[in-house]
Amino acid sequence: MKKLLLILIILSSSIFSQEKELYFKTFKPNYVNIGSTFEVSTVISFLDDKIDKAEFYILPGDDAVLKSAIVNNNGKKFKLPIQKKSFGEFLDKSFLLSLKDSLMTFNSPFQIILTFAAEKEKEIDIHFGLIYKMNDRRSAVYSSFEPADSPYYLEELRITPYKVQQIAGKALQFNQRGKINFHIDNDSWQKNILIEFWANFNSSNLKFLSIVGSEFSDTLLSLNYDDYQMIITDDINKLSNFNENFFGLKNWNHFSILISKETRNAAVYGNGAKLFEIPILLSQSDIELEFLNPANKKPFIIDLLKVWSFENDIEKSFSNRHYISYQADSSSNLFTYSFDEDDVLENFELSKIDFNNLSLVESDAPIYSRAPELNVKVYEKFFSIDWVSKDVIHALKFDLEKSTDGRTFNTIFEKDAEEDEEKIYFYSDEKNPKDEIVYYRLTQINKDGSKVFSAPIKIGLGLKDIFSLDQNYPNPFNPVTNITVEMFETAEVEIYVYDIVGNKIQKLHTGSLSQGTHTFSFDGTELPSGIYFYEIKSPFSTLVRKMILAK
């Protein structure tokens, strides 16, 4: 009960700082599998409890169906009946929940958990409407169709379902009394340790993770999935920077825990957003990472567990959470489990990892094949485009696409994928003088029919020029020449020399380059005569010039 009151205080502190007569906040899932159910949480509070009638409308459009509505009000959970009733002009597309129920009280915030079915492979737009009347005959109408700056606007939701990819493989299921314990040596991490994993829960009010000091078996941090379907900890009174959160049942969510030895502080994140921070009593002992499912709970699942000695920016982890592996130059991976091998449980036994009541199940987590990165080099009459596959196991073919507006892409080149990790794919696209701006994007079609897309690259006059590249002097040269770059503003750039087949010969510069003129010397003493290229590249543009070594 104490924890419930504290949660209500946290909710109320943000609610009653509002000047509106109604507080309305929604929480949507980040990841919804096509054909699955998903939950949306709405937190509502009327700042005047003299309510005679309140009607809550849900409009999920044609691409989702409202299945159920459960109210969480003052610690009581109960279902609300769903009626079909039009809201304004939206006939046969809206569902009504009558909020004037004998079990409800309006003098404190209450939560409504809405369960939908994603029936189509399309974006889902969910709108809301709310009508209430007071005892003194005052009334108000709120909706998602009001202007966003209106005091009567309710936030609308857009949800994009994902298609499960074969690369997701298998996941680890914790049956009743299921547990696993991972030992982490204190000497294996220096400043920070990062623990990240995907999780899918089937029941709430669940303490699913504990981090324990090995020496005295003292709990440093525990994570609970509570009745409000928030991630919280036992020591709720020690929390700082707490943010309201919600994680629906039967949906995948990504969690990260970053623990600092220097500050003795743990920051907990969900789907890339900070949930809270809490001080922890770190000692010099090793720690144990324990996942646990109690006896009376439905199974839950985890996938792609990674533990790092981490010294990068936390955003590095967030941007790579969908991929089985990634490189972090200042960090080292202590261990990663994707749980895809059939003998993973046997390997746990061989490694003397303590576990019980676990099983492997097919995973539908949003774990994706990594898309290639496009490189575009600008020449006088054409663009040279190249890429390397980052997933030769699952890639079937590549479609190189082009656009002049950044929205509509058309395929200009198709190429079957090869099972060669070092294979470089090339394409040359002739410049069209009518196109001031062009965009290139690569679509990788996988063997299971799924697709991943590279980030689009914008080339042309629509970009702000941040550097110019002069012709080298002398040219032809033997054996030394100078390459001059003028930076119009300070920026991160790379400058390389390549041979005629695209092999990197020498790095002239990588990193920040200040505004002004910079000259780099290139020595071809050890190289044969021939044509070479030098390139300057930033995240936004690339320039390439040709030079000739004549001995």
Side-chain angles (χ1 to χ4, degrees), residues 159-370:
I159 296 167
T160 304
Y162 69 89
K163 184 177 181 180
V164 178
Q165 293 191 12
Q166 192 176 39
I167 196 173
K170 295 181 180 179
L172 189 65
Q173 177 170 287
F174 291 75
N175 304 307
Q176 289 191 7
R177 294 190 178 90
K179 71 168 187 175
I180 192 167
N181 187 301
F182 297 98
H183 183 87
I184 303 172
D185 291 334
N186 180 64
D187 294 337
S188 66
W189 58 292
Q190 302 303 315
K191 294 182 180 180
N192 307 299
I193 189 168
L194 175 67
I195 302 160
E196 53 176 325
F197 57 93
W198 289 91
N200 189 321
F201 302 112
N202 286 297
S203 55
S204 58
N205 195 19
L206 169 72
K207 181 186 289 188
F208 65 95
L209 176 63
S210 294
I211 300 175
V212 179
S214 296
E215 186 175 1
F216 301 108
S217 298
D218 49 331
T219 300
L220 306 177
L221 174 68
S222 63
L223 293 187
N224 306 332
Y225 183 55
D226 74 359
D227 276 337
Y228 287 88
Q229 295 173 225
M230 294 196 298
I231 298 297
I232 206 73
T233 185
D234 286 338
D235 297 323
I236 191 170
N237 57 322
K238 295 181 181 179
L239 296 184
S240 62
N241 297 319
F242 178 84
N243 291 294
E244 298 170 63
N245 61 80
F246 172 82
F247 301 96
L249 292 171
K250 300 181 181 179
N251 291 126
W252 285 98
N253 293 283
H254 185 265
F255 298 102
S256 306
I257 306 165
L258 185 64
I259 299 175
S260 169
K261 277 185 178 178
E262 293 180 345
T263 63
R264 296 192 174 190
N265 188 72
V268 179
Y269 301 83
N271 297 324
K274 182 178 287 186
L275 305 182
F276 57 83
E277 294 182 26
I278 187 169
I280 57 175
L281 299 174
L282 273 178
S283 65
Q284 296 301 312
S285 69
D286 300 343
I287 60 176
E288 308 290 332
L289 177 65
E290 183 179 75
F291 291 90
L292 174 68
N293 189 25
N296 59 343
K297 296 296 179 181
K298 295 178 181 178
F300 72 87
I301 311 169
I302 68 168
D303 203 350
L304 200 51
L305 169 66
K306 303 174 188 173
V307 177
W308 299 81
S309 174
F310 201 76
E311 296 186 26
N312 288 82
D313 189 292
I314 189 66
E315 293 293 333
K316 179 76 172 180
S317 162
F318 299 157
S319 63
N320 286 279
R321 59 179 174 256
H322 297 288
Y323 309 119
I324 289 178
S325 63
Y326 64 93
Q327 297 295 320
D329 51 4
S330 299
S331 304
S332 59
N333 182 252
L334 303 184
F335 57 83
T336 292
Y337 288 104
S338 61
F339 310 111
D340 293 336
E341 299 82 8
D342 291 333
D343 59 352
V344 65
L345 298 181
E346 288 84 349
N347 289 335
F348 285 160
E349 289 182 349
L350 293 174
S351 302
K352 297 183 179 180
I353 294 175
D354 182 26
F355 71 95
N356 193 33
N357 291 344
L358 305 180
S359 56
L360 296 177
V361 296
E362 293 298 319
S363 177
D364 56 3
I367 298 171
Y368 306 145
S369 175
R370 188 182 290 274

Side-chain angles (χ1 to χ4, degrees), residues 110-123:
F110 58 91
Q111 178 190 47
I112 302 177
I113 298 176
L114 306 169
T115 301
F116 297 87
E119 298 191 335
K120 298 180 181 179
E121 191 176 346
K122 292 183 179 179
E123 286 188 332

Side-chain angles (χ1 to χ4, degrees), residues 379-429:
Y379 294 90
E380 184 178 356
K381 295 183 179 180
F382 65 94
F383 299 113
S384 176
I385 305 160
D386 67 78
W387 68 93
V388 175
S389 176
K390 294 190 174 182
D391 185 2
V392 297
I393 296 175
H394 298 93
L396 177 65
K397 62 173 291 194
F398 303 104
D399 286 352
L400 180 63
E401 300 171 331
K402 182 178 180 179
S403 171
T404 56
D405 61 8
R407 296 184 296 274
T408 303
F409 284 85
N410 297 308
T411 300
I412 60 172
F413 178 64
E414 298 181 11
K415 182 67 176 177
D416 291 338
E418 299 182 19
E419 294 184 0
D420 180 357
E421 294 181 352
E422 298 182 358
K423 167 73 175 178
I424 302 175
Y425 300 85
F426 292 97
Y427 182 74
S428 295
D429 188 32

